[in-house]
Amino acid sequence: MTTAFFTDERCFWHGGGNYVLTVPVGGLVEPGGGLPETPETKRRLRNLIEVSGLARELALQSAPEATREDLLRVHPASYLDAFKSASDAGGGELGLRAPFGPGGYEIAALSAGLAKAALFAVLRGQADNAYSLSRPPGHHCLADWPNGFCLLNNIAIAIRAAQAAGLARRVAVIDWDVHHGNGTEAIFLSDPDVLTISLHQDRNYPLDTGGAEVRGEGKGHGFNINIPLPPGTGHASYLEAMERIVLPALARFRPEAIIVACGYDASAMDPLGRMLATAETFRQMTRQVMAAARDLCGGRLILVHEGGYSELHVPFCGHAAVEELSGSAVRAADPLAETLKKRQPGAEWQAHVSAHIGALAGYFLP
């Protein structure tokens, strides 16, 4: 099995903004540590993969920036021009909590280019599956409005490029980032050729999107699935939601490729989530999706990195996913595994979440 791993040091040089966590500095908000979306979580994942020896079993590579033609399939010229102009002038912020510094436009295009290259490598048979260590992330970015640390919608750009190249038409996107994939949803909301599924903490970010009632528009009705989960959802319930809702939806849709918007902020250690997922959760969800991809689309599976803000835990969550993706025997043991196992929900809460998942599963039946 060949797993391609796309990464580029330049993505870690993206930065900008004067924040404390997610709040702008000013008034009574004292300057502090900045946004939680920093290079460290992703750089530490790449470093762990190299130090553990897993990198020797991957096809590590970079890729060109996504072209303006690629970007225009998703984002209007007016937004791209404003972004490029501000980037050339030293940076700024055009939306909500999505600042960038000088050269931010080119770095965002590179991040999208890594996702595109990962998808193309799998669709062209150059790799069995692939991982894109994209930064900045993309799943919150709407066509004309950046938000939530996202400046370009990496996955949407990759899908539209693959469709334009005739490499695939029907693509499924599973977003297990703790935050709702509002940008990806909006871009494909009326498109019956792209199935979008988002598992996320209910009413985390954005506060006004992600409801189960949003099923798509026009011809795209029925091709958007939101799975809002309550805070405190743990390992077993994530796997249950995958088994009862996500995998049956994939089987009905029968995609030609599956892309995971792979955020690790459902980790129990994440500062921006209130969930209880572990590194083993991400390993097993990857295993579930790999099995579905083998059954439905010749194993064509791509993971595109999105959020995840625990410098300690993201590297181990990501390593577990890449271990599974590549079929490697190399392991990087999660130092928090035993602690997080003890922190999992009790039987009463798990039964409550299970009933919630069951109600959603019934709602989404065709």
Side-chain angles (χ1 to χ4, degrees):
M1 177 184 294
T2 300
T3 296
F5 190 95
F6 289 85
T7 181
D8 195 295
E9 174 65 25
R10 288 172 291 172
C11 285
F12 305 139
W13 290 37
H14 162 65
N18 195 7
Y19 285 81
V20 178
L21 202 59
T22 60
V23 179
V25 169
L28 296 178
V29 179
E30 180 182 357
L35 285 171
E37 203 292 303
T38 75
E40 289 310 301
T41 53
K42 294 173 184 178
R43 180 179 274 135
R44 288 164 69 106
L45 169 57
R46 189 187 67 183
N47 290 347
L48 182 61
I49 285 171
E50 292 177 354
V51 170
S52 72
L54 180 55
R56 291 193 292 271
E57 301 183 20
L58 307 173
L60 266 66
Q61 54 200 287
S62 183
E65 296 173 11
T67 67
R68 183 172 172 88
E69 182 181 10
D70 292 329
L71 305 185
L72 282 168
R73 294 189 187 98
V74 173
H75 300 286
S78 57
Y79 169 61
L80 297 178
D81 291 344
F83 183 10
K84 181 69 165 68
S85 178
S87 172
D88 289 347
E93 187 165 9
L94 301 176
L96 176 65
R97 289 195 290 275
F100 53 94
Y105 178 91
E106 287 75 19
I107 295 173
L110 174 60
S111 182
L114 296 179
K116 173 189 170 184
L119 179 57
F120 274 47
V122 171
L123 292 176
R124 287 174 170 163
Q126 297 162 343
D128 295 299
N129 53 44
Y131 193 102
S132 173
L133 190 57
S134 292
R135 181 177 184 266
H139 72 143
H140 291 309
C141 190
L142 280 71
D144 59 355
W145 194 64
N147 68 102
F149 318 144
C150 300
L151 294 160
L152 297 171
N153 198 297
N154 302 323
I155 287 174
I157 289 164
I159 290 172
R160 290 302 191 214
Q163 290 173 328
L167 295 174
R169 181 172 64 89
R170 293 171 65 82
V171 179
V173 179
I174 304 166
D175 189 332
W176 62 47
D177 190 283
V178 81
H179 305 108
H180 176 233
N182 58 309
T184 311
E185 173 187 272
I187 288 165
F188 295 116
L189 199 60
S190 60
D191 189 342
D193 288 329
V194 180
L195 172 67
T196 49
I197 306 173
S198 179
L199 302 94
H200 50 269
Q201 181 185 322
D202 192 20
R203 295 178 175 85
N204 184 323
Y205 180 85
L207 297 175
D208 57 352
T209 68
E213 72 281 359
V214 182
R215 301 296 312 281
E217 295 179 349
K219 292 182 179 180
H221 182 76
F223 295 94
N224 185 72
I225 295 175
N226 284 323
I227 307 170
L229 297 170
T233 295
H235 169 82
S237 297
Y238 263 96
L239 300 185
E240 181 181 359
M242 292 287 292
E243 192 69 36
R244 298 182 68 180
I245 302 175
V246 177
L247 300 183
L250 291 175
R252 292 192 298 268
F253 183 68
R254 304 199 68 82
E256 297 166 57
I258 299 171
I259 301 177
V260 175
C262 187
Y264 299 109
D265 36 13
S267 153
M269 302 304 296
D270 201 272
L272 298 189
R274 297 296 179 267
M275 303 305 232
L276 291 170
T278 70
E280 188 62 22
T281 309
F282 295 105
R283 182 197 308 281
Q284 292 197 31
M285 289 196 296
T286 301
R287 185 179 301 163
Q288 288 174 310
V289 180
M290 287 181 72
R294 282 194 298 270
D295 291 343
L296 299 171
C297 55
R300 290 185 287 275
L301 174 63
I302 302 91
L303 273 58
V304 178
H305 200 116
E306 293 285 353
Y309 308 103
S310 169
E311 291 185 12
L312 168 62
H313 209 216
V314 164
F316 293 96
C317 294
H319 200 285
V322 178
E323 288 168 21
E324 195 66 33
L325 192 65
S326 63
S328 175
V330 173
R331 291 291 181 267
D334 180 3
L336 296 169
E338 288 305 311
T339 298
L340 297 186
K341 186 175 181 180
K342 294 174 182 177
R343 288 182 60 191
Q344 291 302 301
E348 184 176 357
W349 177 249
Q350 195 161 304
H352 170 76
V353 179
S354 182
H356 173 70
I357 291 169
L360 288 174
Y363 178 70
F364 291 125
L365 285 174

